[in-house]
Amino acid sequence: MSPAPAVTRAEYCVIACAEAWRDDGEVLASPMGTIPSIGARLARRTFSPDLLMTDGEALLVGPDGTPEGWLPYRRHLTAVTGGRRHVMMGASQIDRFGNQNISCVGDWERPRRQLLGVRGAPVNTLNNPTSYWIPKHSRRVFVERVDMVCGVGYDRAAAAGPSATRFHRIPRVVTDLAVLDFATPDRSMRLASLHPGVTVEEVREATGFGLSVPAEVPYTREPTALELELIRTVIDPGGAREREVAEPVPRAGEGGR
Amino acid sequence: MSDKTMSADEAVARLESGMTLGIGGWGSRRKPMALVRALLRTDVTDLTVVSYGGPDVGLLAAAGRIRRLVTAFTTLDSIPLEPHYRAARERGAFALTEVDEAMFMWGLHAAANRLPFLPVRAGIGSDVMRVNPGLRTVTSPYEDGETLVAMPALRMDAALVHMNRADRAGNGQYLGPDPYFDDLFCEAADTAYVSCEQLVDHLGTTALGKETAPQTLLLDRSAVTGVVEAPNGAHFTSCAPDYTRDEPFQKLYAATPYEQFAERFLAGDEEAYRSAVRTWHEERG
């Protein structure tokens, strides 16, 4: 058998996103963005077969797109508040305790840039596990303080009391460089794994706050042969993943991988 | 039963400046756009608009009709950021009550049920509390002692919604995959005006059959004031299964300065609008 083409950065991102839904059981996976969608579908086709997913509108659909249930917005909100859901949202800004902003940049009263609005970020973060996907890890996104707290971080949830912390959990933040989590004593952000080819220095440079970095940082795991096959030929044969995260150009003096 | 049919212009003639106006649909989905266009032909202004925002909000904001907007987002769906809404926000054109999607829904439920508020977990810990200093919390009187947000009722003077079918009495039917929150909008408002793709004499006998279940009869006439027949009345938003979103036209809307768009498409009545849209599509080839 000829060796498969090398694993791309986008494919490591898919694996890292898929892992967010491992061991979630029979809950609704709500991925937002191309790579999280591929990741969730991959998880369902492999290690998390009981996940539920929608067609992006009001139907619950199986892996082949066949409807299996009805989930209009009003019932989707019950899935959120009932907790049987794990969402992966985007973030225009995120801080070291996981506070997230998608509403606006600048002063809320008169924003420099109006974005989406808070949408469902407040209800998501207080009610069901909320992970994040950031396709371009940079200091513009990873900031010391977000301009508007939409998704609630660990410090803000703790300050708001037991009703806020009761179901609050941010399992992971996946970026084009790394996986981050909040497995630290003070619940500040930690580097959990590097995608192969990325250095700790690179992540630090792209992060606008002090990141907790363990002595040994593992690499994001390799996809299995079956996973690569599913990603490349079944779930994303058109290569949409490569358009969301481009393959990095090897730096001079490095041979690439 | 009384015949509640009226024209779009007659419906919006009942609206007054300063009113709190709910608009149904969601983002760029089944918005009562023909009614919004009719509203733009009046001089009604100074509105408090309550909406899961889409181009309804964009148009009204661009035309300077909004004093305050109550919303969780404003989006065109396939175009995530609504450009006219954005521009209006960035020039500080109106006041904003920004709440979470679920808080918004509970506000509608509270109003529809004539309650002053409903408790909701969403909001605490977030800056929704900071930007809405009037929001209060409520503590559970039971053993758990939880503190939750007391989402105030979103009571409205009038609501505008768009259905696939309606009858002359005001019963309304949706045929797409999602009712959105249009029943709640009607029940939470003192008056409600329903536009529809197709007007039928009596929904119960003419619209129900093997293909359509009674659950599709979303609106009952007790909460509906006026019925407007408006084919293609959600254009350019989607109105499944009657039609999908007019994506090329939405792109044009998003890329065109409001004055220019209004001059070409909103200067006349609904028939003129349809004709202008047809011409534009023909020119495009």
Side-chain angles (χ1 to χ4, degrees), chain A residues 14-232:
Chain A
V14 168
I15 293 299
C17 288
E19 285 289 335
W21 286 284
R22 189 184 282 277
D23 301 324
D24 272 0
E26 203 158 22
V27 303
L28 178 69
S30 291
M32 297 176 190
T34 300
I35 284 179
S37 296
I38 298 166
R41 282 182 279 164
L42 181 68
R44 180 166 64 169
R45 281 178 178 273
T46 54
F47 49 78
S48 293
D50 292 336
L51 289 173
L52 291 86
M53 292 188 72
T54 75
D55 63 349
E57 302 262 340
L59 293 177
L60 290 163
V61 292
D64 62 355
T66 310
E68 63 164 333
W70 185 48
L71 201 72
Y73 284 120
R74 57 183 69 192
R75 287 179 56 162
H76 202 132
L77 284 170
T78 309
V80 174
T81 52
R84 284 186 285 273
R85 179 175 183 257
H86 182 168
V87 61
M88 184 174 277
M89 301 182 77
S92 303
Q93 296 177 326
I94 191 165
D95 72 16
R96 63 194 298 256
F97 290 103
N99 296 292
Q100 169 253 27
N101 176 21
I102 48 172
S103 171
C104 64
V105 174
D107 179 18
W108 179 87
E109 291 290 340
R110 186 157 176 190
R112 198 159 69 245
R113 283 178 73 77
Q114 174 64 41
L115 304 173
L116 287 169
V118 295
R119 293 220 66 150
V123 71
N124 287 344
T125 45
L126 259 57
N127 288 279
N128 63 194
T130 302
S131 293
Y132 293 104
W133 160 243
I134 291 150
K136 188 153 178 52
H137 194 136
S138 75
R139 284 172 179 262
R140 281 184 60 173
V141 179
F142 287 80
V143 295
E144 194 66 52
R145 270 179 75 88
V146 304
D147 291 337
M148 168 90 178
V149 175
C150 304
V152 178
Y154 280 100
D155 58 338
R156 294 281 295 245
S163 185
T165 55
R166 190 171 168 195
F167 305 116
H168 178 267
R169 191 160 72 86
I170 309 174
R172 61 172 54 196
V173 179
V174 181
T175 79
D176 59 333
L177 300 182
V179 178
L180 307 119
D181 65 17
F182 300 89
T184 50
D186 68 348
R187 294 300 212 170
S188 61
M189 202 183 287
R190 177 191 83 132
L191 181 56
S193 78
L194 291 164
H195 301 330
V198 181
T199 63
V200 169
E201 229 7 78
E202 212 177 322
V203 175
R204 278 201 164 120
E205 275 172 30
T207 305
F209 52 81
L211 199 57
S212 186
V213 178
E216 290 289 318
V217 184
Y219 283 110
T220 303
R221 76 165 172 86
E222 295 295 320
T224 66
L226 171 66
E227 286 172 336
L228 268 187
E229 171 81 11
L230 284 170
I231 294 169
R232 291 173 177 180

Side-chain angles (χ1 to χ4, degrees), chain B residues 111-162:
Chain B
N113 289 279
R114 298 191 295 180
L115 293 169
F117 69 88
L118 277 171
V120 50
R121 192 181 304 280
I124 50 173
S126 80
D127 275 344
V128 164
M129 305 306 284
R130 170 173 68 87
V131 301
N132 294 290
L135 270 180
R136 296 286 176 266
T137 58
V138 59
T139 302
S140 167
Y142 299 106
E143 258 175 52
D144 58 86
E146 284 207 48
T147 296
L148 303 160
V149 172
M151 179 62 200
L154 292 174
R155 194 72 210 170
M156 295 165 276
D157 296 305
L160 308 178
V161 304
H162 185 74

